[in-house]
Structure formats: structure tokens, C-alpha cells
Amino acid sequence: SIVKAFQWQDYATEFVHSYNSELYNRAENLPAIGFEKVLFDDSFPEDAKIAGGYLSDLELADKLIREFERRDSNKPLFLYGLS
């Protein structure tokens, strides 16, 4: 996968999804294709804003920014967000 290609180039690989892990066995399948860190809705703050019954896109953007800022700056990062 493209994710493993980034891993082979010594990138950290991280996936952030603003919904749960149940659909498509994401909790198992995403690490299998190379994501080292996988985060779902339960990793967002309890008071995160909801829009249309789901976590808002703004919350996802804020989470991606926080994850990028917390990265190991000595290593490049492949950060993928799914809304």
C-alpha cells in the first residue's frame, strides 16, 4: 500500500477518523496496510462539537493539527484524515 511505501521511507504513519472503528474492521485493517497509529471518535474530546449527528469537520481539522503538532519532528509524517 502507499502507507507501507511511506513507512519504508522512514515516515511515521497515522490515520485519524472522526467516526468509530466498526465499519470495514478498520481497527484491524488500517494497521495491516501500514498505519502505525489509528485514532477514532473516542480519541476526540468529550465536548467536541457535533454537526448533523457526527463530529464536525472542524473538530477533525483541529485533531489533525494537534496530531501534527505532537509528532516527532525528527521524522516525517504521513497523516491521513477521514471524515
Side-chain angles (χ1 to χ4, degrees), residues 51-68:
Y54 300 95
L55 286 167
S56 72
D57 287 340
L58 179 59
E59 290 290 346
L60 176 60
D62 287 345
K63 181 70 169 169
L64 290 168
I65 291 167
R66 284 191 305 274
E67 291 301 311
F68 180 79

Side-chain angles (χ1 to χ4, degrees), residues 2-3 6-7 11-15 35 75-80:
I2 187 83
V3 184
F6 277 104
Q7 267 189 332
Y11 277 68
T13 56
E14 183 173 347
F15 176 91
F35 284 106
K75 190 172 188 178
L77 173 64
F78 176 70
L79 177 61
Y80 187 91

